[in-house]
Every structure is written in structure tokens, then in C-alpha cells.
PDB file of all heavy atoms in Angstrom:
ATOM      1  N   ILE A  50      18.242 -57.677  95.584  1.00 82.00           N
ATOM      2  CA  ILE A  50      17.836 -56.368  96.209  1.00 82.00           C
ATOM      3  C   ILE A  50      16.876 -55.719  95.180  1.00 82.00           C
ATOM      4  O   ILE A  50      16.914 -55.869  93.933  1.00 82.00           O
ATOM      5  CB  ILE A  50      19.197 -55.507  96.182  1.00 82.00           C
ATOM      6  CG1 ILE A  50      18.750 -54.226  97.035  1.00 82.00           C
ATOM      7  CG2 ILE A  50      19.913 -55.195  94.919  1.00 82.00           C
ATOM      8  CD1 ILE A  50      20.022 -53.433  97.597  1.00 82.00           C
ATOM      9  N   ALA A  51      15.929 -54.935  95.787  1.00 82.00           N
ATOM     10  CA  ALA A  51      14.936 -54.255  94.951  1.00 82.00           C
ATOM     11  C   ALA A  51      14.812 -52.706  95.595  1.00 82.00           C
ATOM     12  O   ALA A  51      15.260 -52.594  96.725  1.00 82.00           O
ATOM     13  CB  ALA A  51      13.673 -54.832  94.912  1.00 82.00           C
ATOM     14  N   GLN A  52      14.412 -51.864  94.731  1.00 78.00           N
ATOM     15  CA  GLN A  52      14.138 -50.496  95.191  1.00 78.00           C
ATOM     16  C   GLN A  52      12.674 -50.160  94.696  1.00 78.00           C
ATOM     17  O   GLN A  52      12.399 -50.336  93.454  1.00 78.00           O
ATOM     18  CB  GLN A  52      15.232 -49.621  94.543  1.00 78.00           C
ATOM     19  CG  GLN A  52      14.879 -48.186  94.856  1.00 78.00           C
ATOM     20  CD  GLN A  52      15.713 -47.208  94.110  1.00 78.00           C
ATOM     21  OE1 GLN A  52      16.722 -47.724  93.420  1.00 78.00           O
ATOM     22  NE2 GLN A  52      15.404 -46.030  93.914  1.00 78.00           N
ATOM     23  N   TRP A  53      11.927 -49.485  95.528  1.00 73.00           N
ATOM     24  CA  TRP A  53      10.726 -48.830  95.134  1.00 73.00           C
ATOM     25  C   TRP A  53      10.903 -47.409  95.466  1.00 73.00           C
ATOM     26  O   TRP A  53      11.321 -47.099  96.552  1.00 73.00           O
ATOM     27  CB  TRP A  53       9.497 -49.506  95.940  1.00 73.00           C
ATOM     28  CG  TRP A  53       9.187 -50.777  95.357  1.00 73.00           C
ATOM     29  CD1 TRP A  53       8.259 -51.044  94.363  1.00 73.00           C
ATOM     30  CD2 TRP A  53       9.525 -52.087  95.913  1.00 73.00           C
ATOM     31  NE1 TRP A  53       8.176 -52.399  94.207  1.00 73.00           N
ATOM     32  CE2 TRP A  53       8.836 -53.123  95.159  1.00 73.00           C
ATOM     33  CE3 TRP A  53      10.429 -52.462  96.961  1.00 73.00           C
ATOM     34  CZ2 TRP A  53       9.052 -54.489  95.335  1.00 73.00           C
ATOM     35  CZ3 TRP A  53      10.522 -53.898  97.196  1.00 73.00           C
ATOM     36  CH2 TRP A  53       9.924 -54.746  96.386  1.00 73.00           C
ATOM     37  N   GLY A  54      10.504 -46.532  94.428  1.00 64.00           N
ATOM     38  CA  GLY A  54      10.429 -45.157  94.691  1.00 64.00           C
ATOM     39  C   GLY A  54       9.179 -44.701  95.180  1.00 64.00           C
ATOM     40  O   GLY A  54       8.120 -45.427  95.012  1.00 64.00           O
ATOM     41  N   TYR A  55       9.079 -43.505  95.762  1.00 46.00           N
ATOM     42  CA  TYR A  55       7.827 -42.904  96.345  1.00 46.00           C
ATOM     43  C   TYR A  55       6.747 -42.957  95.273  1.00 46.00           C
ATOM     44  O   TYR A  55       6.975 -42.349  94.197  1.00 46.00           O
ATOM     45  CB  TYR A  55       8.036 -41.522  96.796  1.00 46.00           C
ATOM     46  CG  TYR A  55       6.813 -40.779  97.401  1.00 46.00           C
ATOM     47  CD1 TYR A  55       6.348 -41.262  98.590  1.00 46.00           C
ATOM     48  CD2 TYR A  55       6.166 -40.017  96.581  1.00 46.00           C
ATOM     49  CE1 TYR A  55       5.237 -40.630  99.057  1.00 46.00           C
ATOM     50  CE2 TYR A  55       5.017 -39.362  97.064  1.00 46.00           C
ATOM     51  CZ  TYR A  55       4.563 -39.763  98.311  1.00 46.00           C
ATOM     52  OH  TYR A  55       3.429 -39.171  98.828  1.00 46.00           O
ATOM     53  N   GLY A  56       5.645 -43.651  95.451  1.00 43.00           N
ATOM     54  CA  GLY A  56       4.565 -43.584  94.461  1.00 43.00           C
ATOM     55  C   GLY A  56       4.781 -44.627  93.403  1.00 43.00           C
ATOM     56  O   GLY A  56       3.884 -44.752  92.580  1.00 43.00           O
ATOM     57  N   LEU A  57       5.886 -45.296  93.278  1.00 39.00           N
ATOM     58  CA  LEU A  57       6.024 -46.273  92.219  1.00 39.00           C
ATOM     59  C   LEU A  57       6.035 -47.724  92.799  1.00 39.00           C
ATOM     60  O   LEU A  57       6.499 -47.955  93.794  1.00 39.00           O
ATOM     61  CB  LEU A  57       7.499 -46.045  91.586  1.00 39.00           C
ATOM     62  CG  LEU A  57       7.800 -44.697  91.091  1.00 39.00           C
ATOM     63  CD1 LEU A  57       9.201 -44.593  90.577  1.00 39.00           C
ATOM     64  CD2 LEU A  57       6.804 -44.414  89.839  1.00 39.00           C
ATOM     65  N   ASN A  58       5.501 -48.551  92.029  1.00 38.00           N
ATOM     66  CA  ASN A  58       5.387 -49.896  92.387  1.00 38.00           C
ATOM     67  C   ASN A  58       6.110 -50.893  91.390  1.00 38.00           C
ATOM     68  O   ASN A  58       5.566 -51.762  90.874  1.00 38.00           O
ATOM     69  CB  ASN A  58       3.948 -50.431  92.500  1.00 38.00           C
ATOM     70  CG  ASN A  58       3.151 -49.751  93.694  1.00 38.00           C
ATOM     71  OD1 ASN A  58       3.855 -49.491  94.720  1.00 38.00           O
ATOM     72  ND2 ASN A  58       1.914 -49.420  93.503  1.00 38.00           N
ATOM     73  N   VAL A  59       7.392 -50.591  91.226  1.00 39.00           N
ATOM     74  CA  VAL A  59       8.247 -51.327  90.344  1.00 39.00           C
ATOM     75  C   VAL A  59       9.475 -51.768  91.167  1.00 39.00           C
ATOM     76  O   VAL A  59       9.916 -51.113  92.061  1.00 39.00           O
ATOM     77  CB  VAL A  59       8.690 -50.562  89.108  1.00 39.00           C
ATOM     78  CG1 VAL A  59       7.332 -50.278  88.321  1.00 39.00           C
ATOM     79  CG2 VAL A  59       9.361 -49.293  89.389  1.00 39.00           C
ATOM     80  N   GLY A  60      10.121 -52.804  90.646  1.00 40.00           N
ATOM     81  CA  GLY A  60      11.270 -53.322  91.247  1.00 40.00           C
ATOM     82  C   GLY A  60      12.567 -52.859  90.436  1.00 40.00           C
ATOM     83  O   GLY A  60      12.449 -52.302  89.363  1.00 40.00           O
ATOM     84  N   VAL A  61      13.725 -53.311  90.927  1.00 42.00           N
ATOM     85  CA  VAL A  61      14.871 -53.143  90.161  1.00 42.00           C
ATOM     86  C   VAL A  61      14.912 -53.794  88.922  1.00 42.00           C
ATOM     87  O   VAL A  61      14.498 -54.956  88.719  1.00 42.00           O
ATOM     88  CB  VAL A  61      16.140 -53.472  91.095  1.00 42.00           C
ATOM     89  CG1 VAL A  61      17.507 -53.353  90.271  1.00 42.00           C
ATOM     90  CG2 VAL A  61      16.143 -52.636  92.352  1.00 42.00           C
ATOM     91  N   GLY A  62      15.491 -53.156  87.846  1.00 38.00           N
ATOM     92  CA  GLY A  62      15.491 -53.876  86.517  1.00 38.00           C
ATOM     93  C   GLY A  62      14.180 -53.567  85.741  1.00 38.00           C
ATOM     94  O   GLY A  62      13.960 -54.281  84.854  1.00 38.00           O
ATOM     95  N   GLU A  63      13.556 -52.490  86.083  1.00 39.00           N
ATOM     96  CA  GLU A  63      12.318 -52.126  85.399  1.00 39.00           C
ATOM     97  C   GLU A  63      12.500 -51.538  84.084  1.00 39.00           C
ATOM     98  O   GLU A  63      13.633 -51.205  83.732  1.00 39.00           O
ATOM     99  CB  GLU A  63      11.438 -51.183  86.324  1.00 39.00           C
ATOM    100  CG  GLU A  63      11.996 -49.873  86.614  1.00 39.00           C
ATOM    101  CD  GLU A  63      12.932 -49.739  87.782  1.00 39.00           C
ATOM    102  OE1 GLU A  63      13.489 -50.747  88.180  1.00 39.00           O
ATOM    103  OE2 GLU A  63      13.093 -48.648  88.186  1.00 39.00           O
ATOM    104  N   LEU A  64      11.465 -51.216  83.453  1.00 36.00           N
ATOM    105  CA  LEU A  64      11.389 -50.427  82.190  1.00 36.00           C
ATOM    106  C   LEU A  64      12.138 -51.076  81.060  1.00 36.00           C
ATOM    107  O   LEU A  64      12.639 -50.501  80.181  1.00 36.00           O
ATOM    108  CB  LEU A  64      12.023 -49.019  82.467  1.00 36.00           C
ATOM    109  CG  LEU A  64      11.466 -48.209  83.568  1.00 36.00           C
ATOM    110  CD1 LEU A  64      12.180 -46.879  83.720  1.00 36.00           C
ATOM    111  CD2 LEU A  64       9.976 -47.934  83.330  1.00 36.00           C
ATOM    112  N   GLY A  65      12.018 -52.337  80.985  1.00 44.00           N
ATOM    113  CA  GLY A  65      12.521 -53.193  79.751  1.00 44.00           C
ATOM    114  C   GLY A  65      13.930 -53.348  79.712  1.00 44.00           C
ATOM    115  O   GLY A  65      14.439 -53.769  78.577  1.00 44.00           O
ATOM    116  N   VAL A  66      14.757 -53.133  80.645  1.00 50.00           N
ATOM    117  CA  VAL A  66      16.213 -53.408  80.618  1.00 50.00           C
ATOM    118  C   VAL A  66      16.403 -54.951  81.030  1.00 50.00           C
ATOM    119  O   VAL A  66      15.923 -55.326  82.046  1.00 50.00           O
ATOM    120  CB  VAL A  66      17.008 -52.499  81.637  1.00 50.00           C
ATOM    121  CG1 VAL A  66      18.486 -52.815  81.473  1.00 50.00           C
ATOM    122  CG2 VAL A  66      16.753 -51.062  81.275  1.00 50.00           C
ATOM    123  N   ARG A  67      17.170 -55.541  80.166  1.00 57.00           N
ATOM    124  CA  ARG A  67      17.362 -57.004  80.438  1.00 57.00           C
ATOM    125  C   ARG A  67      18.676 -57.131  81.241  1.00 57.00           C
ATOM    126  O   ARG A  67      19.636 -56.287  81.124  1.00 57.00           O
ATOM    127  CB  ARG A  67      17.670 -57.792  79.132  1.00 57.00           C
ATOM    128  CG  ARG A  67      16.392 -57.852  78.253  1.00 57.00           C
ATOM    129  CD  ARG A  67      16.457 -58.796  77.080  1.00 57.00           C
ATOM    130  NE  ARG A  67      17.948 -59.070  76.761  1.00 57.00           N
ATOM    131  CZ  ARG A  67      18.529 -58.768  75.589  1.00 57.00           C
ATOM    132  NH1 ARG A  67      17.874 -58.088  74.677  1.00 57.00           N
ATOM    133  NH2 ARG A  67      19.681 -59.093  75.379  1.00 57.00           N
ATOM    134  N   SER A  68      18.558 -58.111  82.222  1.00 60.00           N
ATOM    135  CA  SER A  68      19.691 -58.267  83.174  1.00 60.00           C
ATOM    136  C   SER A  68      20.995 -58.705  82.448  1.00 60.00           C
ATOM    137  O   SER A  68      22.120 -58.455  82.976  1.00 60.00           O
ATOM    138  CB  SER A  68      19.317 -59.419  84.203  1.00 60.00           C
ATOM    139  OG  SER A  68      19.112 -60.577  83.596  1.00 60.00           O
ATOM    140  N   ASP A  69      20.983 -59.327  81.244  1.00 65.00           N
ATOM    141  CA  ASP A  69      22.208 -59.648  80.602  1.00 65.00           C
ATOM    142  C   ASP A  69      22.826 -58.413  79.866  1.00 65.00           C
ATOM    143  O   ASP A  69      23.891 -58.565  79.264  1.00 65.00           O
ATOM    144  CB  ASP A  69      21.952 -60.785  79.543  1.00 65.00           C
ATOM    145  CG  ASP A  69      20.996 -60.309  78.366  1.00 65.00           C
ATOM    146  OD1 ASP A  69      20.435 -59.230  78.399  1.00 65.00           O
ATOM    147  OD2 ASP A  69      20.954 -61.121  77.431  1.00 65.00           O
ATOM    148  N   GLU A  70      22.265 -57.156  80.053  1.00 70.00           N
ATOM    149  CA  GLU A  70      22.849 -56.072  79.480  1.00 70.00           C
ATOM    150  C   GLU A  70      23.866 -55.325  80.363  1.00 70.00           C
ATOM    151  O   GLU A  70      24.468 -54.296  80.031  1.00 70.00           O
ATOM    152  CB  GLU A  70      21.732 -55.108  79.118  1.00 70.00           C
ATOM    153  CG  GLU A  70      20.840 -55.565  77.961  1.00 70.00           C
ATOM    154  CD  GLU A  70      19.772 -54.546  77.468  1.00 70.00           C
ATOM    155  OE1 GLU A  70      20.012 -53.248  77.718  1.00 70.00           O
ATOM    156  OE2 GLU A  70      18.834 -54.972  77.098  1.00 70.00           O
ATOM    157  N   LEU A  71      24.191 -55.916  81.534  1.00 75.00           N
ATOM    158  CA  LEU A  71      25.054 -55.400  82.389  1.00 75.00           C
ATOM    159  C   LEU A  71      25.992 -56.385  83.054  1.00 75.00           C
ATOM    160  O   LEU A  71      25.477 -57.450  83.556  1.00 75.00           O
ATOM    161  CB  LEU A  71      24.390 -54.669  83.473  1.00 75.00           C
ATOM    162  CG  LEU A  71      25.286 -54.150  84.688  1.00 75.00           C
ATOM    163  CD1 LEU A  71      26.149 -53.027  84.203  1.00 75.00           C
ATOM    164  CD2 LEU A  71      24.308 -53.555  85.794  1.00 75.00           C
ATOM    165  N   GLY A  72      27.313 -56.191  83.092  1.00 82.00           N
ATOM    166  CA  GLY A  72      28.262 -57.122  83.751  1.00 82.00           C
ATOM    167  C   GLY A  72      29.111 -56.261  84.690  1.00 82.00           C
ATOM    168  O   GLY A  72      29.607 -55.234  84.333  1.00 82.00           O
ATOM    169  N   VAL A  73      29.190 -56.780  85.921  1.00 87.00           N
ATOM    170  CA  VAL A  73      30.089 -56.055  86.910  1.00 87.00           C
ATOM    171  C   VAL A  73      31.062 -57.256  87.451  1.00 87.00           C
ATOM    172  O   VAL A  73      30.548 -58.191  88.022  1.00 87.00           O
ATOM    173  CB  VAL A  73      29.331 -55.551  88.021  1.00 87.00           C
ATOM    174  CG1 VAL A  73      30.271 -54.804  89.052  1.00 87.00           C
ATOM    175  CG2 VAL A  73      28.301 -54.456  87.565  1.00 87.00           C
ATOM    176  N   TYR A  74      32.277 -57.065  87.271  1.00 91.00           N
ATOM    177  CA  TYR A  74      33.220 -58.043  87.628  1.00 91.00           C
ATOM    178  C   TYR A  74      34.652 -57.435  88.027  1.00 91.00           C
ATOM    179  O   TYR A  74      34.883 -56.389  87.605  1.00 91.00           O
ATOM    180  CB  TYR A  74      33.382 -59.138  86.486  1.00 91.00           C
ATOM    181  CG  TYR A  74      33.735 -58.613  85.178  1.00 91.00           C
ATOM    182  CD1 TYR A  74      35.046 -58.277  84.818  1.00 91.00           C
ATOM    183  CD2 TYR A  74      32.803 -58.168  84.302  1.00 91.00           C
ATOM    184  CE1 TYR A  74      35.413 -57.891  83.619  1.00 91.00           C
ATOM    185  CE2 TYR A  74      33.110 -57.670  82.998  1.00 91.00           C
ATOM    186  CZ  TYR A  74      34.416 -57.580  82.673  1.00 91.00           C
ATOM    187  OH  TYR A  74      34.699 -57.049  81.454  1.00 91.00           O
ATOM    188  N   PRO A  75      35.450 -58.057  88.688  1.00 93.00           N
ATOM    189  CA  PRO A  75      35.299 -59.420  89.430  1.00 93.00           C
ATOM    190  C   PRO A  75      34.282 -59.099  90.603  1.00 93.00           C
ATOM    191  O   PRO A  75      34.109 -58.083  91.165  1.00 93.00           O
ATOM    192  CB  PRO A  75      36.633 -59.808  89.805  1.00 93.00           C
ATOM    193  CG  PRO A  75      37.359 -58.589  90.032  1.00 93.00           C
ATOM    194  CD  PRO A  75      36.892 -57.640  88.987  1.00 93.00           C
ATOM    195  N   ASN A  76      33.786 -60.158  91.138  1.00 89.00           N
ATOM    196  CA  ASN A  76      32.915 -60.203  92.255  1.00 89.00           C
ATOM    197  C   ASN A  76      33.117 -61.447  92.927  1.00 89.00           C
ATOM    198  O   ASN A  76      32.600 -62.486  92.548  1.00 89.00           O
ATOM    199  CB  ASN A  76      31.508 -59.950  91.927  1.00 89.00           C
ATOM    200  CG  ASN A  76      30.618 -59.505  93.080  1.00 89.00           C
ATOM    201  OD1 ASN A  76      31.067 -59.242  94.186  1.00 89.00           O
ATOM    202  ND2 ASN A  76      29.272 -59.598  92.945  1.00 89.00           N
ATOM    203  N   PRO A  77      33.639 -61.533  94.252  1.00 92.00           N
ATOM    204  CA  PRO A  77      34.163 -60.375  94.956  1.00 92.00           C
ATOM    205  C   PRO A  77      35.339 -59.689  94.382  1.00 92.00           C
ATOM    206  O   PRO A  77      36.029 -60.206  93.471  1.00 92.00           O
ATOM    207  CB  PRO A  77      34.529 -60.910  96.344  1.00 92.00           C
ATOM    208  CG  PRO A  77      34.703 -62.346  96.200  1.00 92.00           C
ATOM    209  CD  PRO A  77      33.945 -62.757  94.975  1.00 92.00           C
ATOM    210  N   ALA A  78      35.564 -58.432  94.616  1.00 94.00           N
ATOM    211  CA  ALA A  78      36.582 -57.561  94.103  1.00 94.00           C
ATOM    212  C   ALA A  78      37.627 -56.987  95.186  1.00 94.00           C
ATOM    213  O   ALA A  78      37.260 -57.139  96.402  1.00 94.00           O
ATOM    214  CB  ALA A  78      35.965 -56.240  93.474  1.00 94.00           C
ATOM    215  N   THR A  79      38.742 -56.751  94.764  1.00 92.00           N
ATOM    216  CA  THR A  79      39.710 -56.220  95.777  1.00 92.00           C
ATOM    217  C   THR A  79      40.255 -54.709  95.447  1.00 92.00           C
ATOM    218  O   THR A  79      40.210 -53.958  96.355  1.00 92.00           O
ATOM    219  CB  THR A  79      40.936 -57.033  95.800  1.00 92.00           C
ATOM    220  OG1 THR A  79      41.404 -57.216  94.568  1.00 92.00           O
ATOM    221  CG2 THR A  79      40.600 -58.526  96.353  1.00 92.00           C
ATOM    222  N   ASN A  80      40.612 -54.507  94.244  1.00 93.00           N
ATOM    223  CA  ASN A  80      41.160 -53.236  93.902  1.00 93.00           C
ATOM    224  C   ASN A  80      40.277 -52.416  92.883  1.00 93.00           C
ATOM    225  O   ASN A  80      40.226 -51.147  92.995  1.00 93.00           O
ATOM    226  CB  ASN A  80      42.554 -53.287  93.394  1.00 93.00           C
ATOM    227  CG  ASN A  80      43.560 -53.895  94.361  1.00 93.00           C
ATOM    228  OD1 ASN A  80      43.429 -53.515  95.513  1.00 93.00           O
ATOM    229  ND2 ASN A  80      44.306 -54.666  93.943  1.00 93.00           N
TER     230      ASN A  80
END
């Protein structure tokens, strides 16, 4: 998934944030 804001040509995860800096679990989730 990606997001572009009005007038911006960047994707999700922009501005130097590394993808290994975030964990979301469990996936799939129940509660």
C-alpha cells in the first residue's frame, strides 16, 4: 500500500524511516 498527498510525489515509508523500525503483530490478529 502507498499514499500520495496532494502535491507530494512520495510513497509510504518516506523521509528516511527504515521499514525495520516498526513491528505490528500478531498478523492476522483477533483481540
Side-chain angles (χ1 to χ4, degrees):
I50 188 164
Q52 172 192 349
W53 284 274
Y55 179 76
L57 300 175
N58 291 325
V59 295
V61 173
E63 67 271 19
L64 305 176
V66 181
R67 293 190 340 244
S68 63
D69 66 348
E70 293 184 29
L71 173 66
V73 180
Y74 54 88
N76 194 11
T79 54
N80 296 319

